[in-house]
Amino acid sequence: MLAFVGGHLGSARENLRMLTLLEEKQKSLKQNLQAVKLEQQMLKVLCKDSTSVYRVDLMNDRAEIVKIEEHSNSAGDLLPHGQELFSYAEAVEHYYHKCVLKESAPDFLQFLDAENLMRELRTKDRVSRRYQSVPNAIGNIYFEARANRVQQTETSFQILLDFRSVDEIVREEREHQHALETALTESRMSYEVISAISKIYYTIYRIDLRTGYYEEAASERQMHRLTGHSGRASVHMSEMSKQSIVAGVSALC
């Protein structure tokens, strides 16, 4: 009887120990799951301007989706993967031939090649490349691919690869470039007009009426340039008038 009771108590203690271990494992799994979800949320916030984001192990040719917008060109091909791992090299190759305009980035595949990225990111935190693609579902055509180093070990090379639309940036850059070119053209035209008019004059003065100061431009053959002479206009003009009067009187004498 005592042996039976002892055996029963031993079994109960073992069951209790196993139950405790199970609860600890469940708690650990729950914490890990919460940590993963928090990481995913943080990544999505940090990459909110990206149309798609992938966690890639370059050394082992594995990739997984962190974020992908439904209007992304790659959504139809990659969304079915869900959280499953897929071949990074195959996905890049497929995307290049399906979506990228080759003339906009002839080195696209070379840039995103795993060996090239590992070589570049050993000394840099991020590398990027712009390119043009076929329009996505909302009409964007200019994109930037950004590879960010995350972690490197002897057996893996982890990066975060994201793609973002830069249509608005490209538009602003082109508008700025156009404004600069227009201003340069107008400046050249103004110079040509002033240069043509000023050929009939020996000296031209630029006077700031608000401050009363002048700058002198002297004629040298067909070009006019600032001589470096400047000062208070009223004083200089008065002196020039006196010199002209003296020169006129001397000529009469």
Side-chain angles (χ1 to χ4, degrees):
M1 182 68 178
L2 290 175
F4 174 77
V5 172
H8 181 71
L9 290 175
S11 177
R13 282 196 296 269
E14 180 63 19
N15 289 339
L16 182 61
R17 187 181 71 83
M18 294 297 294
L19 182 61
T20 301
L21 288 175
L22 181 60
E23 289 177 347
E24 290 177 352
K25 286 184 178 180
Q26 288 178 336
K27 183 179 179 181
S28 177
L29 287 173
K30 186 177 180 180
Q31 290 175 341
N32 290 338
L33 181 60
Q34 289 176 341
V36 169
K37 288 182 177 179
L38 179 60
E39 181 186 12
Q40 293 281 359
Q41 291 172 352
M42 291 176 63
L43 285 174
K44 288 181 179 180
V45 170
L46 292 173
C47 302
K48 62 181 180 180
D49 65 334
S50 302
T51 57
S52 58
V53 185
Y54 310 93
R55 193 196 311 270
V56 182
D57 183 349
L58 296 172
M59 195 173 291
N60 296 292
D61 188 35
R62 290 291 179 266
E64 62 177 319
I65 297 171
V66 174
K67 168 192 173 182
I68 186 166
E69 300 287 354
E70 291 184 357
H71 59 259
S72 170
N73 280 329
S74 57
D77 298 314
L78 296 181
L79 275 177
H81 285 284
Q83 297 301 314
E84 296 178 1
L85 295 175
F86 54 91
S87 169
Y88 166 72
E90 290 180 4
V92 169
E93 183 88 17
H94 179 74
Y95 177 76
Y96 173 71
H97 291 296
K98 180 181 178 181
C99 302
V100 178
L101 296 187
K102 311 303 183 291
E103 60 273 17
S104 71
D107 63 339
F108 186 86
L109 288 178
Q110 179 184 351
F111 169 70
L112 289 179
D113 176 73
E115 291 295 332
N116 178 66
L117 286 180
M118 285 190 286
R119 183 168 53 253
E120 291 281 337
L121 292 172
R122 283 192 178 97
T123 57
K124 302 173 185 175
D125 292 326
R126 169 187 287 184
V127 291
S128 63
R129 178 76 79 256
R130 286 187 183 181
Y131 64 96
Q132 187 175 348
S133 77
V134 297
N136 64 10
I138 58 175
N140 294 329
I141 60 174
Y142 296 104
F143 291 89
E144 182 178 39
R146 301 181 295 186
N148 305 270
R149 185 180 64 208
V150 175
Q151 185 180 31
Q152 178 184 356
T153 67
E154 292 183 357
T155 58
S156 70
F157 199 116
Q158 302 281 340
I159 70 167
L160 203 63
L161 179 65
D162 77 291
F163 296 82
R164 65 167 184 156
S165 169
V166 291
D167 285 62
E168 187 66 20
I169 295 174
V170 170
R171 183 187 65 79
E172 291 177 355
E173 288 177 348
R174 288 183 173 179
E175 288 180 353
H176 181 64
Q177 181 65 27
H178 178 70
L180 288 177
E181 291 174 354
T182 300
L184 180 59
T185 300
E186 291 176 351
S187 177
R188 286 174 177 170
M189 290 177 63
S190 297
Y191 173 79
E192 290 171 358
V193 171
I194 293 172
S195 180
I197 294 174
S198 64
K199 288 176 183 178
I200 63 176
Y201 299 99
Y202 177 74
T203 305
I204 296 176
Y205 296 98
R206 181 169 64 188
I207 301 175
D208 188 334
L209 298 177
R210 293 174 301 175
T211 62
Y213 278 83
Y214 77 94
E215 290 179 293
E216 181 185 78
S219 175
E220 292 185 355
R221 297 179 183 176
Q222 295 183 353
M223 296 292 293
H224 279 74
R225 63 178 178 81
L226 293 174
T227 64
H229 298 157
S230 62
R232 187 166 293 279
S234 59
V235 175
H236 184 69
M237 294 303 144
S238 177
E239 184 64 31
M240 289 291 293
S241 297
K242 291 179 182 179
Q243 291 178 6
S244 297
I245 293 172
V246 171
V249 171
S250 298
L252 291 174
C253 295

